[in-house]
C-alpha cells in the first residue's frame, strides 16, 4: 500500500489524541528531565543545572544539520523503505524505542501486539515498515531524529522531511519496561549515557540506500594494502553490495562497536558509557582528546558528517594525519560522492575556525559552543547505574585483590576521577611490535602498525601530539551489561579477560589464575558503582 494512502486511512481523531498525549508527555518528561539532570555528587549552581537541562536536548535531539548527510548522502530513510525494515527487525538490530514519545494510538495497538506470539498474523504492525516510519516521525526511535526540513510545521518523511543522527544512538538504553529482545533492542523509557552494547551499528549502516557514502570509516585498500578484520579491503570501485556485506558481518564489524576514525582501517571499537564524564579523561580509546568539548565537536563534524573530509580543510587534516594515503582516501571519497549523486555537502552547521588538525577543530569547523558546553554539563551530571546484586563476601575479597594487583592503573574508589595519563601500548600488550608505515611531522609520532588487531585504532589516530601512543583508563562501571571486553571487542566475558589461558603475550595480560579467586574479583568488578547512582 502506498504510504500516503495508508496515512489517510488513519482516523482524523488521531491528531487530537496526539495533542493530548503531547501535553501529558511534557509533564512526564519535565519530571524525567529534572531527575536525569540532577548532578551526581556535590551540589551545583542553578546555572550549571540549567546548562545540563539544555544539554539533555543536545544529547538526545541535536543533529547540527547532519540530517542532510543521513537523508541525502547515506539515504537512510530510503533504505528503511527499500529493505522494508519492520519494528521487530529494528529491535533485533539493537535500536531502541522511547515509549514516552510513541503516539497513544500506536502505543495501544503495539502493546496489544507485543502480548501475542508476534507472528505476522497476530502482530501486523510489528511486521510493517510503515509502523517503523511512523515511529521515526514521532521521534520515538532513539538517536534517529526527524527534522521539519521543508518548514511546513509537521513531520512527514514522504513530503521531504529528513532524519538525522544524535549522540543518543550509541549511548542510551531503555528500562525495558515495555518489551525487550534478548541481547538486542528494547522499548521503554530512556536511560541516557549507557553504552549501547547491543546496537548492530554495521547492520544499520548497511540498511542505508547509499552506504558507500560512509567510505572513510570503512576498512579500505589504500596504497595497495588493507588493515582490519576483513581479509580484503573495500575500494573506490566496491559496490553497494560489497560495502553492505562488510558492514553486516559481525566478524568484521562487531555488535556494540563503531568505527569512529576516518583512517580507512577496519577498527570498530566498543561503544562507551557517557555517564559521570566528570570522572573520565582523556577521551577516546586512544586518549586522543584531552577535553570532552573537543571529542564532542569531532563527532559532530566528522563521524556524523564525514563529507567534511573532502573540503579543503578536511583534505588538509587527512594529509597531515596519513600523508599520501590520506590524500588517496579524500580523492576516492570525492569520486564516490560524485558517482552516487551526493551534492550540497558538507551538511553540518558549524563555524569555520581557521585551524586544522588541532583537537578543537580537526577539519576546521566548530559547532555551537554553548551547546557543546551544555552537553558537557549534562554528561558530567548523569549518575552511573546501580550495580547488580553480588555476593558481598566475595566482592570484599575481590576488592582486596584489586587493591593489590590493579591500582597501578585503576582507581579503587569508583567515585574518583581516573588517571589522565595514558597506559603505553607496550605495557598493555607484550607482543606489540610496531613497524613504521609512514613518517609524520612532529609532534605526531610515525604511522605504525603491529601484527594483530589490538593497536588498529591507534595506527593513525593517537595522542602523540601531546602525550604518547597508548590507551586511556576505563571507569570500570556498569560492567554487568557487557558481554565482550577490551576496546576491540576481542575477549568474551570477564572470566576470560582474567583467565591466564589467554596467554602471557595477549593484550591486557593481567590475570587471576585461581578460578575461585577469579570469581571474587568478578564479583567486585560487577559490584562497583558510584554514589549516588541511578536506581
Amino acid at each position: 500500500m502506498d504510504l500516503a494512502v495508508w496515512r489517510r486511512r488513519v482516523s482524523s481523531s488521531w491528531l487530537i489524541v496526539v495533542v493530548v498525549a503531547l501535553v501529558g508527555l511534557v509533564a512526564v518528561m519535565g519530571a524525567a528531565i529534572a531527575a536525569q539532570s540532577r548532578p551526581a555528587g556535590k551540589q551545583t549552581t542553578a546555572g550549571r543545572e540549567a546548562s545540563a537541562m539544555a544539554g539533555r536536548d543536545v544529547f538526545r535531539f541535536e543533529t547540527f544539520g547532519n540530517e542532510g548527510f543521513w537523508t541525502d548522502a547515506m539515504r537512510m530513510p530510503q533504505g528503511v523503505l527499500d529493505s522494508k525494515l519492520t519494528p521487530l527487525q529494528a529491535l533485533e538490530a539493537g535500536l531502541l524505542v522511547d515509549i514516552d514519545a510513541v503516539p497513544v494510538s500506536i502505543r495501544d495497538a503495539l502493546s496489544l501486539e507485543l502480548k501475542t506470539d508476534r507472528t505476522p498474523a497476530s502482530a501486523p504492525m510489528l511486521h510493517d515498515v510503515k509502523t517503523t516510519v511512523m515511529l521515526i516521525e514521532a521521534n520515538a526511535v532513539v538517536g534517529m531524529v526527524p527534522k521539519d526540513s521543508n518548514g511546513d510545521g509537521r513531520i512527514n518523511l514522504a513530503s521531504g522531511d529528513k532524519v538525522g543522527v544524535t549522540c543518543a544512538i550509541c549511548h542510551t538504553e531503555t528500562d525495558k519496561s515495555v518489551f525487550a529482545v534478548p541481547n538486542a533492542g528494547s522499548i521503554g523509557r530512556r536511560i541516557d549515557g549507557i553504552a549501547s552494547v547491543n546496537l548492530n551499528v554495521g547492520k544499520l549502516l548497511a540498511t542505508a540506500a547509499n552506504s558507500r557514502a560512509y567510505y572513510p570509516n570503512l576498512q579500505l585498500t589504500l596504497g595497495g594494502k588493507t588493515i582490519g578484520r576483513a581479509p580484503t579491503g573495500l575500494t573506490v570501485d566496491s559496490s553497494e553490495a560489497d560495502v553492505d556485506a562488510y558492514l553486516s558481518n559481525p566478524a568484521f564489524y562487531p555488535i556494540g562497536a563503531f568505527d569512529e576514525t576516518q583512517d580507512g582501517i577496519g577498527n570498530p571499537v566498543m561503544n562507551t558509557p557517557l555517564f559521570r564524564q566528570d570522572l573520565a579523561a582523556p577521551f577516546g580509546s586512544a586518549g586522543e582528546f584531552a577535553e570532552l568539548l573537543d571529542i564532542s565537536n569531532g563527532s559532530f563534524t566528522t563521524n556524523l558528517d564525514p563529507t567534511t573530509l573532502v573540503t579543503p580543510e578536511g583534505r588538509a587534516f587527512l594529509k597531515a594525519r596519513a600523508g599520501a594515503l590520506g590524500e588517496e582516501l579524500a580523492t576516492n571519497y570525492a569520486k564516490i560522492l560524485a558517482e552516487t549523486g551526493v551534492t550540497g555537502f558538507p551538511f553540518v552547521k558549524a563555524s569555520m575556525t581557521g585551524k586544522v588538525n588541532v583537537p578543537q577543530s580537526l577539519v576546521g569547523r566548530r559547532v555551537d559552543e554553548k551547546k557543546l558546553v551544555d552537553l558537557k554539563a549534562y554528561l558530567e551530571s548523569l549518575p552511573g547505574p546501580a550495580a547488580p546484586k553480588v555476593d558481598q563476601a566475595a566482592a570484599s575479597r575481590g576488592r582486596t585483590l584489586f587493591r593489590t594487583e590493579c591500582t597501578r592503573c585503576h582507581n579503587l574508589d569508583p567515585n574518583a576521577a581516573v588517571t589522565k595519563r595514558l597506559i603505553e601500548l607496550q605495557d598493555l600488550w607484550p607482543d606489540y611490535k610496531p613497524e613504521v608505515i609512514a613518517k609524520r611531522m612532529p609532534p605526531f609520532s610515525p604511522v605504525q602498525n603491529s601484527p594483530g588487531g589490538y593497536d588498529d585504532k591507534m595506527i593513525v589516530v593517537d595522542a602523540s601530539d601531546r602525550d604518547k601512543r597508548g590507551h586511556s583508563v576505563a571507569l570500570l562501571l556498569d560492567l554487568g551489561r557487557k558481554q565482550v571486553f577490551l576496546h576491540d571487542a576481542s575477549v568474551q566475558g570477564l572470566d576470560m579477560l582474567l583467565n591466564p589461558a589467554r596467554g602471557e603475550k595477549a593484550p591486557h595480560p593481567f590475570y587471576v589464575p585461581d578460578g575461585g579467586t577469579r570469581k571474587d574479583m568478578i564479583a567486585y568488578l560487577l559490584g562497583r558503582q558510584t554514589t549516588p547512582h541511578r536506581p
Side-chain angles (χ1 to χ4, degrees):
M1 183 189 301
D2 181 75
L3 183 58
V5 174
W6 180 77
R7 291 176 190 283
R8 289 196 293 270
R9 294 187 180 180
V10 178
S11 170
S12 61
S13 63
W14 179 83
L15 292 176
I16 299 174
V17 174
V18 169
V19 171
V20 173
L22 287 174
V23 172
L25 179 61
V26 170
V28 172
M29 292 309 296
I33 291 170
Q36 289 219 347
S37 298
R38 188 173 301 118
K42 65 182 181 180
Q43 189 71 26
T44 61
T45 65
R48 181 172 175 80
E49 289 178 348
S51 180
M53 292 173 74
R56 180 199 70 108
D57 288 341
V58 177
F59 175 81
R60 293 183 177 182
F61 308 127
E62 183 57 70
T63 64
F64 292 107
N66 72 44
E67 58 271 16
F69 174 75
W70 292 99
T71 302
D72 298 332
M74 287 290 283
R75 297 164 194 154
M76 180 65 77
Q78 185 61 49
V80 168
L81 289 172
D82 291 348
S83 64
K84 296 181 172 57
L85 184 72
T86 70
L88 279 180
Q89 290 170 335
L91 290 168
E92 289 166 357
L95 283 172
L96 309 173
V97 175
D98 176 4
I99 191 61
D100 290 327
V102 179
V104 171
S105 57
I106 302 177
R107 186 191 310 171
D108 291 346
L110 288 179
S111 295
L112 290 174
E113 291 192 4
L114 288 168
K115 295 175 182 177
T116 69
D117 59 6
R118 297 185 294 280
T119 60
S122 302
M125 290 185 68
L126 288 172
H127 290 269
D128 194 338
V129 66
K130 299 181 185 69
T131 309
T132 306
V133 172
M134 292 289 283
L135 291 171
I136 293 173
E137 289 179 334
N139 205 5
V141 179
V142 173
M144 297 183 66
V145 177
K147 297 290 182 178
D148 182 17
S149 304
N150 62 14
D152 65 358
R154 62 195 185 100
I155 297 295
N156 186 325
L157 301 186
S159 297
D161 289 330
K162 300 179 181 182
V163 178
V165 172
T166 72
C167 304
I169 197 166
C170 289
H171 307 283
T172 304
E173 183 56 271
T174 79
D175 62 5
K176 305 180 181 180
S177 55
V178 176
F179 180 73
V181 176
N183 300 317
S186 62
I187 305 174
R189 291 180 173 82
R190 293 178 186 248
I191 306 175
D192 293 342
I194 304 295
S196 301
V197 296
N198 295 318
L199 182 65
N200 193 337
V201 177
K203 183 68 173 178
L204 293 175
L205 292 172
T207 300
N210 186 27
S211 56
R212 292 179 71 200
Y214 219 62
Y215 174 84
N217 292 64
L218 306 175
Q219 182 181 334
L220 310 176
T221 294
L222 296 172
K225 298 180 180 180
T226 190
I227 300 174
R229 293 176 172 89
T232 58
L234 298 163
T235 72
V236 65
D237 298 317
S238 292
S239 68
E240 182 76 12
D242 294 333
V243 174
D244 291 348
Y246 166 75
L247 289 168
S248 300
N249 190 335
F252 304 153
Y253 209 114
I255 294 172
F258 173 54
D259 194 332
E260 61 184 3
T261 46
Q262 298 78 40
D263 53 13
I265 297 171
N267 52 14
V269 296
M270 291 302 297
N271 292 331
T272 57
L274 289 184
F275 54 77
R276 289 307 303 269
Q277 291 300 284
D278 57 318
L279 303 179
F283 302 93
S285 55
E288 61 268 37
F289 291 96
E291 301 295 335
L292 184 57
L293 296 174
D294 296 337
I295 191 173
S296 299
N297 183 70
S299 294
F300 288 122
T301 57
T302 59
N303 281 324
L304 298 180
D305 180 12
T307 63
T308 55
L309 297 172
V310 294
T311 65
E313 299 80 16
R315 288 175 179 270
F317 164 69
L318 289 174
K319 182 177 180 179
R321 289 296 176 101
L325 297 180
E327 292 180 297
E328 181 183 351
L329 188 154
T331 298
N332 290 348
Y333 190 31
K335 181 181 178 182
I336 288 171
L337 294 176
E339 286 180 354
T340 57
V342 179
T343 60
F345 53 84
F347 302 98
V348 63
K349 297 175 182 177
S351 300
M352 302 302 295
T353 66
K355 296 181 179 180
V356 174
N357 196 30
V358 294
Q360 296 82 6
S361 55
L362 298 178
V363 291
R365 288 163 168 80
R366 186 87 169 177
V367 298
D368 185 278
E369 194 69 22
K370 183 180 185 304
K371 290 184 178 181
L372 289 175
V373 171
D374 290 343
L375 176 61
K376 177 177 183 287
Y378 184 58
L379 299 181
E380 290 181 343
S381 77
L382 283 173
K389 292 183 179 180
V390 297
D391 183 323
Q392 290 301 311
S396 179
R397 294 190 297 270
R399 184 178 188 275
T400 300
L401 181 62
F402 185 89
R403 182 199 295 271
T404 303
E405 302 294 334
C406 305
T407 50
R408 174 171 168 261
C409 298
H410 298 287
N411 288 334
L412 185 66
D413 180 5
N415 297 290
V418 299
T419 177
K420 292 187 178 182
R421 68 182 178 89
L422 296 177
I423 311 301
E424 293 194 62
L425 272 173
Q426 287 88 347
D427 294 336
L428 284 168
W429 186 19
D431 213 25
Y432 180 56
K433 298 179 177 65
E435 296 181 2
V436 172
I437 298 174
K439 298 286 187 180
R440 289 192 290 192
M441 292 295 293
F444 287 98
S445 66
V447 176
Q448 51 194 295
N449 178 37
S450 177
Y454 186 70
D455 69 325
D456 284 0
K457 164 65 189 288
M458 282 151 287
I459 292 173
V460 175
V461 175
D462 63 20
S464 60
D465 58 327
R466 65 166 217 287
D467 200 325
K468 61 179 74 73
R469 188 177 291 260
H471 275 289
S472 55
V473 176
L475 288 178
L476 295 187
L477 295 170
D478 200 27
L479 299 184
R481 201 180 305 273
K482 300 182 65 173
Q483 297 179 10
V484 294
F485 289 85
L486 301 185
H487 72 280
D488 61 346
S490 59
V491 179
Q492 293 287 328
L494 275 173
D495 185 78
M496 182 53 68
L497 179 68
L498 301 173
N499 195 322
R502 288 202 298 120
E504 61 182 14
K505 292 188 176 182
H508 198 278
F510 307 109
Y511 301 128
V512 182
D514 177 71
T517 307
R518 194 159 60 243
K519 289 181 179 179
D520 292 344
M521 177 69 86
I522 292 172
Y524 168 70
L525 292 172
L526 293 177
R528 284 172 60 98
Q529 62 186 16
T530 56
T531 304
H533 51 264
R534 182 184 288 115

PDB file of all heavy atoms in Angstrom, residues 7 72 76 78 111 147 167 191-192 231 239 250 276 286 291 309 316 364 373 381 457 483 489 516 522:
ATOM      1  N   ARG A   7      -1.654   6.582   5.257  1.00  0.00           N
ATOM      2  CA  ARG A   7      -1.804   7.646   6.257  1.00  0.00           C
ATOM      3  C   ARG A   7      -3.231   8.184   6.277  1.00  0.00           C
ATOM      4  O   ARG A   7      -3.786   8.483   7.324  1.00  0.00           O
ATOM      5  CB  ARG A   7      -0.853   8.811   5.947  1.00  0.00           C
ATOM      6  CG  ARG A   7       0.593   8.515   6.145  1.00  0.00           C
ATOM      7  CD  ARG A   7       1.397   9.722   5.715  1.00  0.00           C
ATOM      8  NE  ARG A   7       2.803   9.409   5.657  1.00  0.00           N
ATOM      9  CZ  ARG A   7       3.588   9.299   6.704  1.00  0.00           C
ATOM     10  NH1 ARG A   7       3.084   9.512   7.889  1.00  0.00           N
ATOM     11  NH2 ARG A   7       4.859   8.992   6.590  1.00  0.00           N
ATOM     12  N   ASP A  72      20.248  12.599   2.537  1.00  0.00           N
ATOM     13  CA  ASP A  72      20.581  12.857   1.141  1.00  0.00           C
ATOM     14  C   ASP A  72      21.849  12.147   0.671  1.00  0.00           C
ATOM     15  O   ASP A  72      22.005  11.891  -0.530  1.00  0.00           O
ATOM     16  CB  ASP A  72      20.741  14.363   0.911  1.00  0.00           C
ATOM     17  CG  ASP A  72      19.457  15.127   1.192  1.00  0.00           C
ATOM     18  OD1 ASP A  72      18.376  14.541   1.038  1.00  0.00           O
ATOM     19  OD2 ASP A  72      19.542  16.308   1.583  1.00  0.00           O
ATOM     20  N   MET A  76      19.360   7.002   4.416  1.00  0.00           N
ATOM     21  CA  MET A  76      18.866   6.043   5.396  1.00  0.00           C
ATOM     22  C   MET A  76      17.348   5.864   5.339  1.00  0.00           C
ATOM     23  O   MET A  76      16.861   4.726   5.338  1.00  0.00           O
ATOM     24  CB  MET A  76      19.316   6.460   6.798  1.00  0.00           C
ATOM     25  CG  MET A  76      18.869   5.534   7.905  1.00  0.00           C
ATOM     26  SD  MET A  76      19.607   3.885   7.784  1.00  0.00           S
ATOM     27  CE  MET A  76      21.258   4.214   8.407  1.00  0.00           C
ATOM     28  N   GLN A  78      15.342   6.175   2.856  1.00  0.00           N
ATOM     29  CA  GLN A  78      15.026   5.406   1.657  1.00  0.00           C
ATOM     30  C   GLN A  78      15.403   3.943   1.846  1.00  0.00           C
ATOM     31  O   GLN A  78      14.680   3.041   1.428  1.00  0.00           O
ATOM     32  CB  GLN A  78      15.776   5.984   0.457  1.00  0.00           C
ATOM     33  CG  GLN A  78      15.422   5.321  -0.869  1.00  0.00           C
ATOM     34  CD  GLN A  78      13.947   5.473  -1.217  1.00  0.00           C
ATOM     35  OE1 GLN A  78      13.411   6.576  -1.151  1.00  0.00           O
ATOM     36  NE2 GLN A  78      13.287   4.370  -1.557  1.00  0.00           N
ATOM     37  N   SER A 111       1.109  -2.319  22.054  1.00  0.00           N
ATOM     38  CA  SER A 111       1.072  -3.028  23.334  1.00  0.00           C
ATOM     39  C   SER A 111       0.277  -4.322  23.214  1.00  0.00           C
ATOM     40  O   SER A 111       0.663  -5.363  23.771  1.00  0.00           O
ATOM     41  CB  SER A 111       0.461  -2.133  24.418  1.00  0.00           C
ATOM     42  OG  SER A 111       1.278  -1.014  24.653  1.00  0.00           O
ATOM     43  N   LYS A 147      13.454  15.861  11.269  1.00  0.00           N
ATOM     44  CA  LYS A 147      13.503  17.315  11.222  1.00  0.00           C
ATOM     45  C   LYS A 147      12.490  17.838  10.203  1.00  0.00           C
ATOM     46  O   LYS A 147      12.312  17.243   9.130  1.00  0.00           O
ATOM     47  CB  LYS A 147      14.901  17.795  10.838  1.00  0.00           C
ATOM     48  CG  LYS A 147      15.993  17.421  11.842  1.00  0.00           C
ATOM     49  CD  LYS A 147      15.843  18.200  13.147  1.00  0.00           C
ATOM     50  CE  LYS A 147      16.962  17.858  14.117  1.00  0.00           C
ATOM     51  NZ  LYS A 147      16.878  18.639  15.364  1.00  0.00           N
ATOM     52  N   CYS A 167      23.933  11.824  19.369  1.00  0.00           N
ATOM     53  CA  CYS A 167      24.765  11.066  20.310  1.00  0.00           C
ATOM     54  C   CYS A 167      24.019   9.885  20.916  1.00  0.00           C
ATOM     55  O   CYS A 167      24.614   8.851  21.236  1.00  0.00           O
ATOM     56  CB  CYS A 167      25.212  11.963  21.464  1.00  0.00           C
ATOM     57  SG  CYS A 167      26.074  13.461  21.013  1.00  0.00           S
ATOM     58  N   ILE A 191      17.200   5.789  29.284  1.00  0.00           N
ATOM     59  CA  ILE A 191      18.233   5.951  30.303  1.00  0.00           C
ATOM     60  C   ILE A 191      19.455   6.475  29.565  1.00  0.00           C
ATOM     61  O   ILE A 191      20.156   5.718  28.874  1.00  0.00           O
ATOM     62  CB  ILE A 191      18.555   4.637  31.035  1.00  0.00           C
ATOM     63  CG1 ILE A 191      17.292   4.007  31.623  1.00  0.00           C
ATOM     64  CG2 ILE A 191      19.586   4.890  32.136  1.00  0.00           C
ATOM     65  CD1 ILE A 191      17.534   2.647  32.257  1.00  0.00           C
ATOM     66  N   ASP A 192      19.716   7.753  29.676  1.00  0.00           N
ATOM     67  CA  ASP A 192      20.792   8.373  28.920  1.00  0.00           C
ATOM     68  C   ASP A 192      22.165   8.008  29.481  1.00  0.00           C
ATOM     69  O   ASP A 192      22.338   7.800  30.679  1.00  0.00           O
ATOM     70  CB  ASP A 192      20.647   9.894  28.945  1.00  0.00           C
ATOM     71  CG  ASP A 192      19.420  10.374  28.187  1.00  0.00           C
ATOM     72  OD1 ASP A 192      18.882   9.599  27.379  1.00  0.00           O
ATOM     73  OD2 ASP A 192      18.999  11.529  28.409  1.00  0.00           O
ATOM     74  N   PRO A 231      39.567  -9.958   5.380  1.00  0.00           N
ATOM     75  CA  PRO A 231      40.763 -10.363   4.628  1.00  0.00           C
ATOM     76  C   PRO A 231      41.093  -9.429   3.475  1.00  0.00           C
ATOM     77  O   PRO A 231      42.255  -9.328   3.056  1.00  0.00           O
ATOM     78  CB  PRO A 231      40.404 -11.763   4.125  1.00  0.00           C
ATOM     79  CG  PRO A 231      38.906 -11.784   4.105  1.00  0.00           C
ATOM     80  CD  PRO A 231      38.480 -10.931   5.257  1.00  0.00           C
ATOM     81  N   SER A 239      31.106  -2.130  -4.797  1.00  0.00           N
ATOM     82  CA  SER A 239      29.673  -1.881  -4.982  1.00  0.00           C
ATOM     83  C   SER A 239      28.970  -1.677  -3.646  1.00  0.00           C
ATOM     84  O   SER A 239      29.531  -1.947  -2.581  1.00  0.00           O
ATOM     85  CB  SER A 239      29.041  -3.065  -5.713  1.00  0.00           C
ATOM     86  OG  SER A 239      29.056  -4.218  -4.871  1.00  0.00           O
ATOM     87  N   PRO A 250      29.330  -9.467  11.560  1.00  0.00           N
ATOM     88  CA  PRO A 250      29.825  -9.155  12.908  1.00  0.00           C
ATOM     89  C   PRO A 250      31.275  -9.559  13.143  1.00  0.00           C
ATOM     90  O   PRO A 250      31.921  -9.028  14.041  1.00  0.00           O
ATOM     91  CB  PRO A 250      28.878  -9.951  13.823  1.00  0.00           C
ATOM     92  CG  PRO A 250      27.650 -10.181  13.016  1.00  0.00           C
ATOM     93  CD  PRO A 250      28.132 -10.332  11.606  1.00  0.00           C
ATOM     94  N   ARG A 276      28.701  10.193  34.130  1.00  0.00           N
ATOM     95  CA  ARG A 276      29.787  10.616  35.009  1.00  0.00           C
ATOM     96  C   ARG A 276      31.072  10.964  34.244  1.00  0.00           C
ATOM     97  O   ARG A 276      32.177  10.550  34.604  1.00  0.00           O
ATOM     98  CB  ARG A 276      30.079   9.564  36.075  1.00  0.00           C
ATOM     99  CG  ARG A 276      29.027   9.422  37.150  1.00  0.00           C
ATOM    100  CD  ARG A 276      28.665  10.729  37.849  1.00  0.00           C
ATOM    101  NE  ARG A 276      29.787  11.420  38.471  1.00  0.00           N
ATOM    102  CZ  ARG A 276      30.168  11.251  39.720  1.00  0.00           C
ATOM    103  NH1 ARG A 276      29.522  10.382  40.489  1.00  0.00           N
ATOM    104  NH2 ARG A 276      31.168  11.955  40.213  1.00  0.00           N
ATOM    105  N   ALA A 286      41.973   5.936  22.442  1.00  0.00           N
ATOM    106  CA  ALA A 286      43.394   6.257  22.321  1.00  0.00           C
ATOM    107  C   ALA A 286      43.761   7.494  23.128  1.00  0.00           C
ATOM    108  O   ALA A 286      44.904   7.950  23.064  1.00  0.00           O
ATOM    109  CB  ALA A 286      43.764   6.469  20.853  1.00  0.00           C
ATOM    110  N   GLU A 291      39.936  17.066  26.126  1.00  0.00           N
ATOM    111  CA  GLU A 291      38.723  17.752  26.578  1.00  0.00           C
ATOM    112  C   GLU A 291      37.473  17.114  25.988  1.00  0.00           C
ATOM    113  O   GLU A 291      37.442  16.762  24.801  1.00  0.00           O
ATOM    114  CB  GLU A 291      38.771  19.236  26.183  1.00  0.00           C
ATOM    115  CG  GLU A 291      39.950  20.007  26.747  1.00  0.00           C
ATOM    116  CD  GLU A 291      39.912  20.109  28.265  1.00  0.00           C
ATOM    117  OE1 GLU A 291      38.800  20.024  28.830  1.00  0.00           O
ATOM    118  OE2 GLU A 291      40.984  20.285  28.873  1.00  0.00           O
ATOM    119  N   LEU A 309      35.412  15.821   5.047  1.00  0.00           N
ATOM    120  CA  LEU A 309      36.763  15.383   4.705  1.00  0.00           C
ATOM    121  C   LEU A 309      37.159  15.721   3.275  1.00  0.00           C
ATOM    122  O   LEU A 309      38.348  15.673   2.931  1.00  0.00           O
ATOM    123  CB  LEU A 309      36.894  13.875   4.924  1.00  0.00           C
ATOM    124  CG  LEU A 309      36.712  13.406   6.373  1.00  0.00           C
ATOM    125  CD1 LEU A 309      36.659  11.900   6.440  1.00  0.00           C
ATOM    126  CD2 LEU A 309      37.843  13.933   7.253  1.00  0.00           C
ATOM    127  N   ALA A 316      43.268  18.747   4.174  1.00  0.00           N
ATOM    128  CA  ALA A 316      44.488  19.106   4.901  1.00  0.00           C
ATOM    129  C   ALA A 316      44.645  18.248   6.151  1.00  0.00           C
ATOM    130  O   ALA A 316      45.758  17.818   6.496  1.00  0.00           O
ATOM    131  CB  ALA A 316      44.446  20.593   5.266  1.00  0.00           C
ATOM    132  N   GLY A 364      38.670  22.022  10.779  1.00  0.00           N
ATOM    133  CA  GLY A 364      38.493  23.465  10.678  1.00  0.00           C
ATOM    134  C   GLY A 364      37.108  23.964  10.991  1.00  0.00           C
ATOM    135  O   GLY A 364      36.768  25.088  10.629  1.00  0.00           O
ATOM    136  N   VAL A 373      29.033  23.136  25.505  1.00  0.00           N
ATOM    137  CA  VAL A 373      29.175  23.322  26.955  1.00  0.00           C
ATOM    138  C   VAL A 373      27.994  22.702  27.695  1.00  0.00           C
ATOM    139  O   VAL A 373      28.156  22.049  28.725  1.00  0.00           O
ATOM    140  CB  VAL A 373      29.307  24.823  27.288  1.00  0.00           C
ATOM    141  CG1 VAL A 373      29.234  25.058  28.794  1.00  0.00           C
ATOM    142  CG2 VAL A 373      30.627  25.376  26.744  1.00  0.00           C
ATOM    143  N   SER A 381      26.808  15.337  34.633  1.00  0.00           N
ATOM    144  CA  SER A 381      25.809  15.243  35.695  1.00  0.00           C
ATOM    145  C   SER A 381      25.111  13.898  35.764  1.00  0.00           C
ATOM    146  O   SER A 381      24.486  13.561  36.768  1.00  0.00           O
ATOM    147  CB  SER A 381      24.744  16.339  35.504  1.00  0.00           C
ATOM    148  OG  SER A 381      23.827  15.990  34.472  1.00  0.00           O
ATOM    149  N   LYS A 457      43.199   0.778  16.275  1.00  0.00           N
ATOM    150  CA  LYS A 457      42.616   2.103  16.497  1.00  0.00           C
ATOM    151  C   LYS A 457      43.697   3.180  16.517  1.00  0.00           C
ATOM    152  O   LYS A 457      43.453   4.341  16.177  1.00  0.00           O
ATOM    153  CB  LYS A 457      41.836   2.100  17.818  1.00  0.00           C
ATOM    154  CG  LYS A 457      41.482   3.480  18.390  1.00  0.00           C
ATOM    155  CD  LYS A 457      40.525   4.256  17.495  1.00  0.00           C
ATOM    156  CE  LYS A 457      40.368   5.704  17.990  1.00  0.00           C
ATOM    157  NZ  LYS A 457      39.613   5.829  19.210  1.00  0.00           N
ATOM    158  N   GLN A 483      29.148  -8.006  27.474  1.00  0.00           N
ATOM    159  CA  GLN A 483      29.440  -9.406  27.206  1.00  0.00           C
ATOM    160  C   GLN A 483      30.827  -9.583  26.618  1.00  0.00           C
ATOM    161  O   GLN A 483      31.394 -10.675  26.671  1.00  0.00           O
ATOM    162  CB  GLN A 483      28.399  -9.986  26.253  1.00  0.00           C
ATOM    163  CG  GLN A 483      26.986  -9.986  26.818  1.00  0.00           C
ATOM    164  CD  GLN A 483      25.983 -10.553  25.848  1.00  0.00           C
ATOM    165  OE1 GLN A 483      26.327 -11.126  24.822  1.00  0.00           O
ATOM    166  NE2 GLN A 483      24.706 -10.396  26.153  1.00  0.00           N
ATOM    167  N   ALA A 489      36.704  -5.380  21.345  1.00  0.00           N
ATOM    168  CA  ALA A 489      35.697  -6.451  21.480  1.00  0.00           C
ATOM    169  C   ALA A 489      36.303  -7.826  21.254  1.00  0.00           C
ATOM    170  O   ALA A 489      35.670  -8.726  20.711  1.00  0.00           O
ATOM    171  CB  ALA A 489      34.535  -6.217  20.514  1.00  0.00           C
ATOM    172  N   GLY A 516      38.445 -19.813  41.815  1.00  0.00           N
ATOM    173  CA  GLY A 516      37.643 -19.267  42.902  1.00  0.00           C
ATOM    174  C   GLY A 516      37.981 -17.814  43.177  1.00  0.00           C
ATOM    175  O   GLY A 516      37.093 -16.975  43.384  1.00  0.00           O
ATOM    176  N   ILE A 522      35.640 -10.956  39.960  1.00  0.00           N
ATOM    177  CA  ILE A 522      34.497 -10.633  39.099  1.00  0.00           C
ATOM    178  C   ILE A 522      33.353 -10.059  39.919  1.00  0.00           C
ATOM    179  O   ILE A 522      32.698  -9.085  39.514  1.00  0.00           O
ATOM    180  CB  ILE A 522      34.055 -11.877  38.309  1.00  0.00           C
ATOM    181  CG1 ILE A 522      35.134 -12.259  37.294  1.00  0.00           C
ATOM    182  CG2 ILE A 522      32.714 -11.648  37.622  1.00  0.00           C
ATOM    183  CD1 ILE A 522      34.884 -13.578  36.597  1.00  0.00           C
TER     184      ILE A 522
END
